[in-house]
Amino acid sequence: SQTIHQWPATLVQPVGSPLSLECTVEGTSNPNLYWYRQAAGRGLQLLFYSVGIGQISSEVPQNLSASRPQDRQFILSSKKLLLSDSGFYLCAWIPGDRPSYNSPLHFGNGTRLTVT
Amino acid sequence: DAKTTQPNSMESNEEEPVHLPCNHSTISGTDYIHWYRQLPSQGPEYVIHGLTSNVNNRMASLAIAEDRKSSTLILHRATLRDAAVYYCILRDVGTGGFKTIFGAGTRLFVKA
């Protein structure tokens, strides 16, 4: 079966520290992968999406970056965290072997990041 | 990207039907309508989607207006576990649906 793993579940980091969040998908090949962020009480903001290894599209210019070193691995990074980076970070995927417009997004359980 | 408009919040009584509206007046012919819901402290989960015809599944029904400029998610009997934020989004065939943008959604409150 297909599953998505996100870790860690919670993270508290000081301002200026680096960040690395990892997401992996199992049971599928060549998925489309997404990173979203949700600030407290707000909707979901699309940060990055990827349609293949090394292919990253950025939606919001900021101090975050994403990488896809392997087919089913998606990493969100920052060199120096800001207070405004606090939020709920969600990874999601769509099967790559079907039209994505007609496929449900599958979300991970998210990482709650607090920057202090 | 075509936008959707939803009420900020709605309230329902337990075991009564709930109709959650969504306006998408700039929808294109190739946009699919998707609905998701997000329970507290969880990632969103898929509910239902459709293109032109009404759709039913075990979770809900989706009624799409004939001109496709609006749609309604129908929960046939609300339970306390249905209290969540419901998102209506459009997925475009033209861009492959890659850029899936979520709005603010509707927060549904269910009263016992």
Side-chain angles (χ1 to χ4, degrees), chain A residues 16-114:
Chain A
S17 63
L19 172 74
S20 180
L21 301 180
E22 190 163 340
C23 169
T24 59
V25 181
E26 295 179 358
T28 188
S29 298
N30 195 31
N32 295 331
L33 297 170
Y34 300 77
W35 278 112
Y36 287 88
R37 177 172 65 193
Q38 187 172 37
R42 307 291 295 274
L44 281 78
Q45 178 186 34
L46 177 63
L47 301 176
F48 301 95
Y49 65 93
S50 171
V51 301
I53 296 175
Q55 301 179 62
I56 309 293
S57 295
S58 173
E59 288 301 300
V60 183
Q62 55 203 337
N63 67 321
L64 298 174
S65 62
S67 62
R68 185 169 176 175
Q70 299 180 41
D71 180 43
R72 291 169 290 174
Q73 184 185 31
F74 206 21
I75 297 172
L76 183 70
S77 304
S78 174
K79 292 182 180 177
K80 288 186 176 182
L81 283 169
L82 307 172
L83 285 175
S84 58
D85 291 324
S86 293
F88 191 39
Y89 287 80
L90 290 154
C91 181
W93 69 278
I94 293 173
D97 58 350
R98 282 188 276 163
S100 57
Y101 52 80
N102 201 24
S103 299
L105 270 170
H106 302 276
F107 284 84
N109 289 328
T111 295
R112 192 163 300 282
L113 172 66
T114 303

Side-chain angles (χ1 to χ4, degrees), chain B residues 5-73:
Chain B
T5 304
Q6 299 176 255
N8 290 334
S9 65
M10 292 184 65
E11 198 172 80
S12 172
N13 294 318
E14 197 175 13
E15 299 193 4
E16 290 185 355
V18 181
H19 291 235
L20 296 163
C22 181
N23 288 320
H24 27 79
S25 57
T26 59
I27 192 171
S28 75
T30 53
D31 282 329
Y32 279 70
I33 302 160
H34 285 241
W35 283 82
Y36 290 78
R37 72 177 187 181
Q38 186 177 21
L39 302 172
S41 299
Q42 294 186 26
E45 64 173 339
Y46 167 78
V47 177
I48 201 167
H49 79 281
L51 182 62
T52 56
S53 304
N54 294 344
V55 185
N56 299 296
N57 67 20
R58 63 175 180 81
M59 290 181 71
S61 295
L62 175 60
I64 301 173
E66 196 169 336
D67 63 5
R68 301 207 331 121
K69 293 185 176 182
S70 65
S71 61
T72 303
L73 180 70

